[in-house]
Structure formats: C-alpha cells, structure tokens
Amino acid sequence: MNLYANVFGQGQPFVILHGFLGMGDNWKTLGKKIADQGFQVHLIDQRNHGRSPHANEFSYEVMANDLVLYCEENGLNRIHLLGHSMGGKTAMLFGVKNPFLIEKLIIADIGPKYYPLHHQDILDGLEALDFDMLHSRGEVDKELSKYVPDSGVRMFLLKNLYWKNKGELGLRLNLNALIANAQEIGVMLPTQYSYVGEALFLKGEKSDYIRAQDHIKIKEQFTNSIIREISGAGHWLHAENPSMFLTEVLEFVKK
C-alpha cells in the first residue's frame, strides 16, 4: 500500500503517525517545528485515514507492514518514529519487529496494554451523517453534536470533511472498514515482543491512557524506556501543551 505523506525539511528522517480518525495534517504545526531543528519530517496518513488508500483489512499488523514498505520505497532507515494513540500502537509493533530501522522511538499517550472499545459514540455519529442532506460544515457539526457533545473532539473529527464533488461533502475515512474492525484499535501488543532500543513514553497529566500501574508493563516490554508526563494535558497532549511536548521530544532525540 502506497501511503500518503506530507514530507518537509532536511536531515535525519522523523516519521509521525497520527491517532484513530486523524491524519498527518493534525501534526503539521508541530512537524514544522521539528523540521526546523534539522530533521526531514514525514507526516503519514495511515491506511483508511486521510489521503491514504482504503482497504478492508485493518489491524496493527498491516499498518506496521505499511510503514515497512513506506521506509523501503523512500530509502529510510534509522528513523526517529513518533506515534500518538493508535499511531503509537502501530509504532510499538513496528519497533519490536523492525528495531534495526529505528534510531529512537517516541510513544504519545498509549501503552502496550489492551484498551476496551470506547469510540462507539463517535463511530455512530459519523455513520449517521447523511451527506445528501448535509451541505455545510456547520450542518455536519450540528448533526454530529447529537452524538459527540465535546466541541474539541468534533473539531478534530471535522478535519476529515472535504468536498467530494461540487456541493457534495464526504469524509476522508474508510468508515465501513474502521467500524468493521473497531475492535482492532484496543488490542494489546503481543507479550512475546520486547524492545531494547531507546524509547520515550509521553503521557498527558489529565489522561488515563497510561496509569501508574501501567509503568511496570511498559518497562517490561520496552526495557530502555523513560516515561514523562506532559503537564496540564489530556490525551491530545501535543495540542494541549505543545511547547512542553516539543521540548521533551527534542531533548530525547538530540541527546
């Protein structure tokens, strides 16, 4: 699968993987700041997201393989790899199976453990959107608010809106495949895998994705890892405290 990516900057490759229902563009502001520090940044759209191809098959196994192919096609090795949420799980699996391709691994607000399905209201809301009846961003937002009351989450989701044709809106998501495979999002990293390279886990202070009791499991599978907390931030820690997030990332990759 030929993944879509926005690439900018010069230097060592720095690959960023977005979370579930997101896209590489979510990371453009931070990605440009990383590129300014002497890196070639690759903002990748994972399969069934953004401008990347759609496919019925959707799992961390296939997404990690997609990234292997992307690295091969673009001559990338010894990459810095940063993944957020779903992208973090992809990055973990990619890392444990292809450690020779990674210089440093950064995982944002996700652990290797199993997570119960918790996106159902969002998926129901997206599935309920009738683009024969909805003809503006405002109308879509109003309809989505019946399922997703948090305006910040809706703003994130609405970045997927685009004009398919004149007067016809659509979503840059393969919603059918994502709904059919929603249970794949929470699967745990297989316990037989471990990673001995340098890894940084960043957690949001207000997020419960990585709890104190999860630190042991992280250290077991990522034996050379450090865990840092981003103050005042929830799950979207890179957007809620971007300056601290950027500082932690740059200190880690440059040391």
Side-chain angles (χ1 to χ4, degrees), residues 46 59-69 90 93-94 97-98:
Q46 298 189 83
S59 67
Y60 289 116
E61 191 76 32
V62 295
M63 286 190 284
N65 288 339
D66 289 344
L67 185 54
V68 172
L69 290 174
T90 304
L93 187 59
F94 176 89
K97 296 183 84 170
N98 307 279

Side-chain angles (χ1 to χ4, degrees), residues 123-135:
L123 292 173
D124 288 346
L126 292 172
E127 190 176 27
L129 297 175
D130 182 355
F131 291 114
D132 291 332
M133 306 293 292
L134 302 170
H135 302 292

